Amino acid sequence: RITRSTLNHVALTCIDGALHRYLDDNGEGIDHPVTIQMPVNLRGGDESRAGNKLAVELVELGNPGDDAFERHREIGYSLRNVKNHLKSIPGNALQQYTVLVALAGELIGKLDLSDRVPATGHTLVSNLPGPPEPLYVKGARVQQMYPISTLVPGLRMNITLFSCGGILNFGIVATKDLRNLDRLADYIKDEFKRLQQAVSGP
């Protein structure tokens, strides 16, 4: 509320800072912003047909080395640009672009070119809104619910957010060469604390 930002905005800020720290730990640090693939909903509020209508947008996150507040601000600019982009391009064109991005990733993976050809982003991050009310199983309240998503060809990681009863859960899957994902999870929590301090501190 203080920063007038959305849940996605805050979550991406935490994920961004955590990814830079995690990649540095693995000896794979990058000197440029992390780029994510982010699914976006193309369905209008007046559409009654069943089924999904999605596209994928490439979103550039914050610069490495930025403090939490600066990263948060840069990601805000990127998300605004995504919204403007979605308004300016027909939905069919975005869906065709999404198919091309998926085919490029599939080709890179099939030809084993991932070490030589730039991938279409570093990871895929999606947010699935779950039930706002608490869930129960035989009278026991569900405390946590982690989504398990598939890995997109050409990418080595997928982070899926799933909300349930007012709690946001992060499901992280990656290829076997990216180890110690629990460390990435810890870094996400650390980055949330850093952002809190940056926003509410002096």
Side-chain angles (χ1 to χ4, degrees), residues 37-39 56 98 101-106 108-109 119-126 149-160 173-175:
Q37 289 187 18
M38 187 173 74
V56 167
T98 298
V101 168
L103 288 174
E106 186 100 29
I108 290 170
T120 52
H122 294 96
T123 183
L124 186 141
V125 180
S126 57
S149 297
T150 58
L151 285 172
V152 178
L155 298 182
R156 296 161 64 195
M157 184 178 290
N158 182 319
I159 302 176
T160 302
V173 294
T175 53

Side-chain angles (χ1 to χ4, degrees), residues 109-179:
K110 291 272 187 192
L111 298 177
D112 200 22
L113 297 174
S114 54
D115 291 334
R116 284 170 280 176
V117 177
T120 52
H122 294 96
T123 183
L124 186 141
V125 180
S126 57
N127 186 359
L128 302 175
E133 67 281 350
L135 298 180
Y136 295 84
V137 178
K138 291 189 175 289
R141 179 170 176 169
V142 176
Q143 298 291 337
Q144 296 168 320
M145 187 181 292
Y146 295 104
I148 304 297
S149 297
T150 58
L151 285 172
V152 178
L155 298 182
R156 296 161 64 195
M157 184 178 290
N158 182 319
I159 302 176
T160 302
L161 284 58
F162 182 78
S163 56
C164 178
I167 298 172
L168 187 64
N169 302 283
F170 291 67
I172 306 170
V173 294
T175 53
K176 61 185 178 181
D177 57 319
L178 292 177
R179 303 182 185 278

